[in-house]
Amino acid sequence: KAFTNTCQKMAHQHEQFLAALDEGHVVQKQFFKEISAADEIDLNELLSDSEHTESAGDYDVKRLRSDVENDLQLLKEFASQTGSVSPDKDPKLEALIETLATIASEAEAEGIGEQDARDKKKVVLFSFFRDTAVWIRDYLIQQAESDPRLAPYRGRIAATSGSPDEDGLMTQEKAVFGFAPKTAAPDNWTNGDQYDLLIATDVLAEGVNLQQARHIINYDL
């Protein structure tokens, strides 16, 4: 999923590059940050105001356009092929479901009391990519509703990449405090134990006390 999203983003930037080239400009990498930060995109206005463009007259425009168009086509093909992989056809997600089902079952059998059983099924799942973390979270929430083996995780799944965003990722503090209140939350934390499965990028790899968790899964790198 992360690869697909990256290819789609790069393809869009190639299209913007070609549009700028049509206006006689060759844009630099920083120009795309200016576009992403703009509320409304007026390409001609951005091109005239930006310090990160050069005159196309200094380039072999015909060859440059041909190469960029070729790369654009490749990126679209990559995104199309990998984008056809749905969660139910992802073998890594299938393996993850089985692992979580085993953890939940063993925690229920071995736990001494409700809180001990809850701690025994707590899992931190690390992914290198934010997009992958969202992909995993959405699938697990769906499966927790339909797979009785994952019922213990129903309504108790959280994901963070350090700060909230449009994909519904939590702040680091909210996710960590709700997941490991005994070892990570401050004394004034009053929301209790909220999550048993925390999906995170490497923002939680250092300096966070997650000892309440009994299991760590590294999903990719």
Side-chain angles (χ1 to χ4, degrees):
K1 181 62 175 181
F3 182 81
T4 301
N5 289 355
T6 298
C7 288
Q8 291 173 338
K9 178 181 178 181
M10 292 177 66
H12 182 56
Q13 289 178 340
H14 278 56
E15 290 171 339
Q16 292 172 327
F17 184 97
L18 290 170
L21 193 60
D22 287 339
E23 301 299 326
H25 297 267
V26 173
V27 299
Q28 302 168 354
K29 181 178 179 180
Q30 293 88 337
F31 181 79
F32 298 115
K33 295 181 180 179
E34 295 175 346
I35 287 184
S36 63
D39 293 330
E40 295 182 3
I41 297 177
D42 184 326
L43 183 61
N44 287 325
E45 182 178 344
L46 285 174
L47 287 170
S48 61
D49 294 342
S50 177
E51 298 179 355
H52 305 297
T53 69
E54 300 174 68
S55 171
D58 296 331
Y59 290 81
D60 184 338
V61 173
K62 183 176 180 181
R63 287 180 58 196
L64 179 58
R65 179 183 301 280
S66 176
D67 287 343
V68 174
E69 289 176 344
N70 183 66
D71 288 348
L72 172 60
Q73 184 60 35
L74 288 172
L75 288 165
K76 286 183 174 181
E77 290 175 5
F78 291 158
S80 175
Q81 292 183 32
T82 59
S84 67
V85 178
S86 58
D88 59 331
K89 295 179 181 179
D90 185 336
K92 289 186 71 172
L93 285 179
E94 293 177 6
L96 177 60
I97 293 297
E98 295 304 317
T99 298
L100 293 174
T102 298
I103 290 173
S105 176
E106 291 178 350
E108 184 68 25
E110 300 172 3
I112 303 174
E114 181 179 350
Q115 186 59 52
D116 185 53
R118 172 160 291 164
D119 288 346
K120 280 182 164 59
K121 69 170 178 283
K122 282 187 179 291
V123 176
V124 182
L125 188 151
F126 286 111
S127 172
F128 190 80
F129 305 101
R130 185 195 66 83
D131 289 340
T132 304
V134 173
W135 164 265
I136 296 169
R137 179 203 61 190
D138 292 348
Y139 184 67
L140 291 183
I141 289 176
Q142 175 189 6
Q143 290 301 302
E145 293 295 327
S146 60
D147 189 334
R149 300 175 301 165
L150 300 185
Y153 294 111
R154 197 171 295 164
R156 298 186 62 82
I157 301 174
T160 182
S161 65
S163 59
D165 62 17
E166 68 277 6
D167 289 315
L169 294 173
M170 297 180 181
T171 64
Q172 178 176 331
E173 286 189 351
K174 181 178 180 181
V176 169
F177 295 169
F179 175 76
K182 291 195 296 186
T183 61
D187 293 338
N188 62 355
W189 175 255
T190 59
N191 292 331
D193 192 318
Q194 298 176 298
Y195 311 115
D196 295 324
L197 176 54
L198 177 56
I199 304 161
T201 57
D202 58 358
V203 294
L204 302 188
E206 295 183 15
V208 181
N209 189 346
L210 299 175
Q211 291 180 6
Q212 192 174 343
R214 302 298 175 89
H215 306 274
I216 295 176
I217 296 175
N218 290 307
Y219 191 79
D220 33 56
L221 299 182

